[in-house]
Each structure stands twice: as C-alpha cells, then as structure tokens.
Amino acid sequence: MDWAAVLGAGALIPLLNAGIRLAMPTGLAAVGEALCQRAGVLNLSLEGILLSGALGSFLGAYYSGQAWIGVIAGVGLGVAVAALMALLSVTFKTEQVINGIVIVLLAGGATSLAYEKLFGVTTTPPRFDTLPSLKIPLLGSIPGVGAVLFDQNALVYISILAVGAVWWVLYRTRFGLSVRAVGERPDAADAAGVNVDRIRWCALLVSGVMGGLGGAVLIVAQLGLFRDNITAGRGWVAIALVIFGRWSPLRVMGGALLFGITDALQLRIQAAGGGVETGVPFELFQALPYIVTIAVVVAATAWARDDAQPKSLGFPYEKEAGTRED
Amino acid sequence: MTAPAPPPAVRSRRWKDRIGSPVNVVGAAAVALVLGAGVIAVAGGNPITAYADIVTGTFGSRSTITLMLGEVTPLLLIGLGLAIAFQGRVWNIGAEGQYLVGAVVGGAFAILSPVQASVVLIPAALLVGTAAGAAWGWIVGKFQAVWGVNEVISSLLLNYVAIFGVAYLVRQPLRDPDYYLPQSKLIPSAARLPDLPFLDVHAGLLIGLIFVPVVIYAMGRTPFGFKVRVLGMNRDAARAAGIDTNRLIVKVMMISGGFAGLAGIAQVLGVESRLNNNLDAGYGFTAIITALLGRMRPLGIVLSSVFIATITVGGDIVQRSQQVPRAAVFVLQALFVIVLLVADKLARR
C-alpha cells in the first residue's frame, strides 16, 4: 500500500476537505438532536427524519432539476416526520423510545414504498449530478485553510451557518434559555410561565429541520441518487455523537468532524489498499464507523466527569402528575 | 438510561398493569384499517380487494398457511424475548444482530461439527446459536451496567457490526469454494429440524409455543419476573428496593438476545439451506412491532405474530395481484402500532 498517498502532506488537504464534507449529514442531524434533547425529548426518530429528508431532497432535485428545491423538499419531509414524533411524544405523551423506533420503521417502509412506486425496481437507479464545489473568492485562496474550508459546495457553507445558528439560538436567545430550562426542570419552567409542551414541539421541529437538511446534504451534495435505507444508520450515529459531545452543539459538531475525517481516511485506505484482495477484509472497514461509534460512546459515558445529560430527558411532562419531590 | 428523575410510579404502573379493553382494541383496529386502506390506495391498489386478498390468500390454501406459520416462528421467538426486555424497559433494538449472530454461529457449528448424529447435533446447534445470541446481547447489557451506556444506541449499532461480520464470514472462512456467490456449504441434513406432524412447518414453531407458558410463568410467578417488572416501573426504585439492577439488566439482555439467537439458528436449521447474506431478513425489527402490538405479553405476542405473519404473506400476494410494493406492509405495521399507542393513551384520559 502506498502510505504516502494516504497520509502524506499532499494528501492532507484533500483529506480534511473531504472529511468536512462527509461530516455534514451526521453533524447537522446530531446538532439538531442536541437541541431537542436539551429540551428533554429523546428523539430516536432521527434516522427516520434523515431518511425522509434524503428521499424528499432526491425527489425535489430530480424532478425540478434544481438543487435548492431538493433542499426545501428534504427539510419539509424531515419536519413532517419530526411533527409526527412531536404529536406522539409531546401531545399524546406516549413512550418516547417506542415512538422513535416505530417512526424509524415507518419512515423506512414509507420511503421504500414511495421510491419503488415512482421508479420501479431497477438496476440502474436514476441519478443527478451532485453540487459542484463553490470556491469563495479571496478566502478560498488562503494557502491550506482556503482549500480545506472555502473550496466546498454551497450546502457545506449553509450547514456551517445552520450549526452556528443552533448554537446561537440555544445559548443567546430567550427560546434557548427556555429549552434548557425545560430539559432540566420542566416543573420549574412551567411555574415560571414557560409552556413546556410548546417549547418541546418547537425543539422537535428544529431537529426536523436539521435532520431533513442533513438528509438533503447527503443526497444533493454527495450521492445524487436514492436507495432503500440509504442513510445507513447515520441518524443513530448522530444520537451517539450527542452523548459524545455532552449535549453541547459545538462539541457534538466537533465529534462529527472527527468522524467525517475518519470516514474520509478509511475510504482512502480502502482505495489505496486495492479493495477486495487485501489481507484486511473490507467488511471490517464497512463496520468500522459503527464500531468506532460504540467505542466512542462507551468512552464518553465512562469518563464523563459531569452528568451533562438533561435531567428530564425521555420523560414527558404532565402537569397533573408533576408532583415529583426532587 | 440513567436519568435521575424517574417518572411517577403511578403512571408507569398503569402503563404496565393493564390489558387494553376490547373496545379499545377494536376501535384502534378500525382506525388502523382505514389508515391502511389509505396507504394501499396511495400505493396504487384497491384497499377492499387487497384486504380480501390478504385474508383469503393467506388462509385459502395449505401452502400459504404453511408460509404464514413459517413467518410466525421467528417473530414469536424473538418477540417473547423482547417482551421480557421491554417489560423491564430495557430497550433492546438489537434483536436483528442477535438473530444473525445466532444463525451464523449456530449454523457454522452444525456445518463444522465432527459429530453428525441428529440427536446430538440438533440440540447442540440450537444451544450454540442461543448462546451466541445471548452473548451478543450480553455486550449491550454489560455496557449499560458498567458504564451506563444507553442500550438503544449500543444494541442498534451492534446490528451493523453483526451484518458486516456475517458478510465477512460467508465470504471468507465459511465459504463454499465451489460457488461464485458468497455462501457457506450446505447445512448437513442431520442438522435439519424435523417438520411438525401434519404440517410442513419445522419444529421451531413448537419450540416457540412451548416457551409461551414458560415466559408467562417466569414473568408472572417468579422472583425474576417480579424484579423485571419493578425494573420497568422505576429503575431507581428497583435499586432502592435492593434489586441488583445492573445484574438484572445484563440478565435480561442475555435472555432477550438468547431468544433472538434461538430464532436465528432455528431458521437456519429449519428453513435455510446455506448461510449467506440473505439471512438478514429484518425479523429483528418486525419482532419489535410484534412485541408492541402484543402489548409485551406472551399470549398477545402469539396473536400479533400470527397477525403480522398474515399481512406479510398476504402482502406478497397483493404485490403480485395489484402491484402494491411489499414495503406497504412495513408502513401498515408501523401505523398499527402508532394507532394502538395513541388509543391506549386516549382511553386513559
């Protein structure tokens, strides 16, 4: 294997560039999930949101020929799935874990059904060209940094802005303060006049926007096609990243970037290694992201010094039963 | 999960200690059927004839009933294990992986075993598959118990590890060199599960049915079942009451994984002829639906597994007669659970 092609200085810039790109779908979903969990809702439907966003963006972009219509459609479907989650978890207050799992299964079935109905079963799936790179003038010419950060497709810039926006909303706005209050002490927030259920609804919808956008980035900017279960567990990885990032959007995004770079690295090692005939089985590379995710969550949970998990995470707030003594 | 603020015990007990009223079930079923009709119509079928086809198609001939019972077997076995876990609110969603590990490890044992006498081989292979599934579940339980790792995440992610692990095993070490496709040698005929008398269904179904009263007894009449139910009501209260919750969670994950592993090896010895990538058939996920529709109770799961198996087999029939894609069945299943969840909640208001 040509290790210079994998790890050499000349390979570093494209590696980081690809890493940032690959990090975005999972990262967006994870940051949205972080906000949602800060409001106390364990949104396990995230994989379903991503998958629906992926299908929505594919259909939008394929039929209109416009990437931005794809993005809007993806976000729209993501929000729709999140709204179903909110209806069950916040309005009806049924068990959040079950809601999430069932919605993931529903989204899996519904996206396959829609795609098969529209395109049939084909060996050559319809495709479109993914977004080209959009080099930002001046900034893109900075040596090193420019090629890594400012020579990306338009959706990467939008994603970075979206992540920044979630951070800003969570820590610098009244809504964000309510979100954090509702996640820690819903009873106290309620007493202070915050509408707990409304805040949680909104948090879930934000998670839908971010997850839908993540799905759209995956399709419109990276793959240009749709397949059953194309998100391949990215939503679950994103939930794991929330734990890894201790519920802080920026740390969660940092984790996503590390993952993206790891992903880019393993793709490159596989390519340089020559595929199937190497000594290392390629299935190991395929399983690696999931193994690494498990390891990272175990490490993050085991070594956490503070209990960063929102105190009311997973528990619906019911006024009449809200006489907990804690 | 280790959230220190548990829900009030009153709510949880209601959630657990009820058997839904029949009116509730019928009402939910009616709403679900209407929603399902909408799905079928959107998918390009005629809902009325589709429903009729599902019922008459599935129960109309001996061969389709056989098919249906074949679908019941893995759903029932996995569902029983999930019922135990879910009653303790241990959210094992890694049954798919546990099933696969049980199927491949047990199947490999059957192929490689030096002893090829059915009396020894079949029980031994079943045990090995069960143990392998239990071991895969043990990982999840141990992570939860030792480090507090959320079992939903770890069990789900381990599914992917299992899928790629199986892909590697059938491509390399277990591969039959005479074939182009990655698949193992034939499962030896001495290891085949016999069919039940008068039916063309393998004995796995009987094993599942035998476990129904066993699980009912274990959950309702033993200290273990009591502890699991307390765990499900309130994890902190269970700990306060002197229950070693960590040990219990590991145990529950092993039992639940063991059932899934048993379902996997039973499928291999009863239905499949070789080990290959098609083993990953989604039973682990469908069984979650089955367990929820059966309200996490063994007898309920018998009924729900027959129901799910019926719409699965019926769905294939409708796919041929009306070009409604098979995925419609997954949509229907999930909708039924959602309707039931909401109906249960509304009934208690």
Side-chain angles (χ1 to χ4, degrees):
Chain A
M1 183 153 51
D2 182 9
W3 282 103
V6 176
L7 293 170
L12 196 61
I13 285 171
L15 181 76
L16 293 177
N17 182 292
I20 290 174
R21 205 171 57 242
L22 292 174
M24 283 309 164
T26 319
L28 286 166
V31 168
E33 176 78 18
L35 181 129
C36 189
Q37 292 198 8
R38 287 299 283 266
V41 183
L42 181 62
N43 176 20
L44 293 186
S45 72
L46 193 58
E47 175 76 4
I49 292 175
L50 265 172
L51 191 55
S52 307
L55 179 73
S57 66
F58 175 79
L59 296 180
Y62 180 78
Y63 284 121
S64 70
Q66 302 282 341
W68 63 272
I69 292 185
V71 172
I72 291 171
V75 170
L77 265 194
V79 170
V81 175
L84 176 60
M85 181 69 187
L87 185 70
L88 294 177
S89 306
V90 183
T91 306
F92 289 120
K93 304 186 199 304
T94 52
E95 177 76 42
Q96 290 176 15
V97 174
I98 294 180
N99 301 342
I101 296 167
V102 173
I103 290 177
V104 170
L105 295 175
L106 177 69
T111 50
S112 305
L113 176 63
Y115 184 81
E116 189 181 331
K117 210 59 210 171
L118 291 169
F119 299 100
V121 182
T122 71
T123 46
T124 51
R127 300 171 162 268
F128 52 77
D129 290 334
T130 52
L131 281 184
S133 164
L134 186 72
K135 192 168 177 175
I136 296 185
L138 295 177
L139 289 175
S141 313
I142 303 171
V145 181
V148 172
L149 273 179
F150 301 110
D151 191 7
Q152 298 276 5
N153 62 67
L155 275 178
V156 170
Y157 306 129
I158 292 175
S159 304
I160 293 172
L161 291 179
V163 169
V166 169
W167 175 85
W168 188 79
V169 164
L170 188 59
Y171 292 111
R172 293 285 182 272
T173 67
R174 203 184 158 76
F175 171 74
L177 183 63
S178 301
V179 164
R180 288 177 285 145
V182 159
E184 292 297 328
R185 288 288 301 270
D187 46 349
D190 186 28
V194 175
N195 185 333
V196 174
D197 283 359
R198 185 185 296 161
I199 295 290
R200 288 185 168 170
W201 250 96
C202 293
L204 265 164
L205 294 183
V206 170
S207 168
V209 171
M210 296 294 280
L213 184 60
V217 170
L218 179 70
I219 300 303
V220 174
Q222 294 178 19
L223 300 173
L225 61 92
F226 186 84
R227 215 179 314 115
D228 282 0
N229 195 21
I230 195 159
T231 46
R234 282 179 177 80
W236 298 105
V237 173
I239 294 170
L241 285 176
V242 173
I243 299 170
F244 170 75
R246 312 306 296 157
W247 290 268
S248 141
L250 295 187
R251 262 184 284 178
V252 167
M253 191 61 215
L257 287 172
L258 280 179
F259 261 80
I261 292 165
T262 315
D263 202 15
L265 187 65
Q266 67 94 3
L267 286 174
R268 182 162 305 180
I269 292 175
Q270 265 197 84
V276 181
E277 299 311 320
T278 48
V280 188
F282 65 87
E283 290 92 350
L284 182 63
F285 287 109
Q286 291 175 312
L288 206 57
Y290 307 104
I291 296 173
V292 170
T293 307
I294 297 171
V296 159
V297 170
V298 170
T301 332
W303 290 330
R305 277 158 302 171
D306 54 335
D307 191 7
Q309 175 169 307
K311 300 286 174 290
S312 77
L313 183 63
F315 298 117
Y317 178 62
E318 283 177 288
K319 262 189 179 170
E320 64 275 12
T323 49
R324 280 207 306 267
E325 294 164 9
D326 58 355
Chain B
M1 272 157 283
T2 54
V10 180
R11 259 198 67 245
S12 313
R13 199 178 307 128
R14 275 194 302 184
W15 185 77
K16 197 66 53 199
D17 282 1
R18 65 179 155 64
I19 307 172
S21 83
V23 179
N24 202 7
V25 176
V26 172
V31 174
L33 285 179
V34 172
L35 281 176
V39 172
I40 294 169
V42 169
N46 175 336
I48 295 171
T49 54
Y51 281 141
D53 281 358
I54 288 176
V55 177
T56 58
T58 307
F59 294 98
S61 78
R62 206 188 153 86
S63 67
T64 46
I65 292 176
T66 304
L67 272 179
M68 189 272 288
L69 292 175
E71 292 286 312
V72 166
T73 306
L75 295 178
L76 176 61
L77 279 169
I78 305 172
L80 286 174
L82 291 181
I84 296 171
F86 289 179
Q87 282 201 32
R89 286 163 67 98
V90 176
W91 302 114
N92 174 20
I93 53 174
E96 186 71 15
Q98 293 142 15
Y99 170 94
L100 279 175
V101 170
V104 162
V105 175
F109 173 83
I111 294 170
L112 300 173
S113 164
V115 182
Q116 289 288 337
S118 294
V119 234
V120 184
L121 187 58
I122 293 177
L126 288 175
L127 272 179
V128 169
T130 308
W136 207 244
W138 174 85
I139 301 176
V140 175
K142 208 66 190 167
F143 281 180
Q144 162 69 256
V146 177
W147 293 299
V149 175
N150 184 326
E151 77 273 16
V152 177
I153 302 294
S154 57
S155 65
L156 187 284
L157 291 170
L158 279 171
N159 287 340
Y160 289 96
V161 180
I163 288 169
F164 292 119
V166 168
Y168 167 69
L169 288 174
V170 298
R171 184 177 64 82
Q172 284 274 327
L174 292 175
R175 183 176 192 154
D176 185 343
D178 294 342
Y179 285 88
Y180 175 72
L181 288 172
Q183 56 181 10
S184 74
K185 292 193 177 122
L186 280 170
I187 305 292
S189 55
R192 313 287 327 172
L193 277 179
D195 280 354
L196 297 176
F198 312 113
L199 285 166
D200 306 319
V201 184
H202 67 82
L205 181 62
L206 184 65
I207 299 175
L209 290 173
I210 290 171
F211 270 115
V212 171
V214 173
V215 173
I216 293 175
Y217 177 79
M219 291 306 288
R221 294 270 182 277
T222 67
F224 167 78
F226 175 74
K227 284 184 203 164
V228 171
R229 283 180 291 132
V230 173
L231 183 75
M233 286 176 205
N234 188 325
R235 221 169 253 194
D236 292 334
R239 206 169 293 131
I243 296 174
D244 187 344
T245 52
N246 286 344
R247 242 184 102 178
L248 188 60
I249 290 170
V250 175
K251 212 190 258 181
V252 164
M253 274 308 306
M254 286 181 71
I255 292 172
S256 178
F259 269 105
L262 176 60
I265 183 59
Q267 190 77 1
V268 164
L269 302 186
V271 181
E272 309 288 337
S273 51
R274 299 168 186 274
L275 303 173
N276 58 35
N277 289 321
N278 298 335
L279 289 175
D280 173 27
Y283 287 121
F285 290 107
T286 311
I288 295 176
I289 299 274
T290 310
L292 293 174
L293 278 183
R295 295 169 176 226
M296 306 172 219
R297 286 159 184 284
L299 280 179
I301 289 167
V302 173
L303 294 178
S304 64
S305 58
V306 169
F307 174 70
I308 296 283
T310 302
I311 62 173
T312 304
V313 173
D316 284 347
I317 294 167
V318 175
Q319 178 174 31
R320 269 171 309 207
S321 65
Q322 303 197 11
Q323 280 76 50
V324 173
R326 190 165 195 258
V329 169
F330 301 122
V331 179
L332 285 183
Q333 291 170 355
L335 279 180
F336 288 166
V337 176
I338 290 173
V339 170
L340 191 65
L341 289 176
V342 174
D344 276 349
K345 202 71 197 186
L346 291 180
R348 266 176 293 137
R349 280 200 172 165

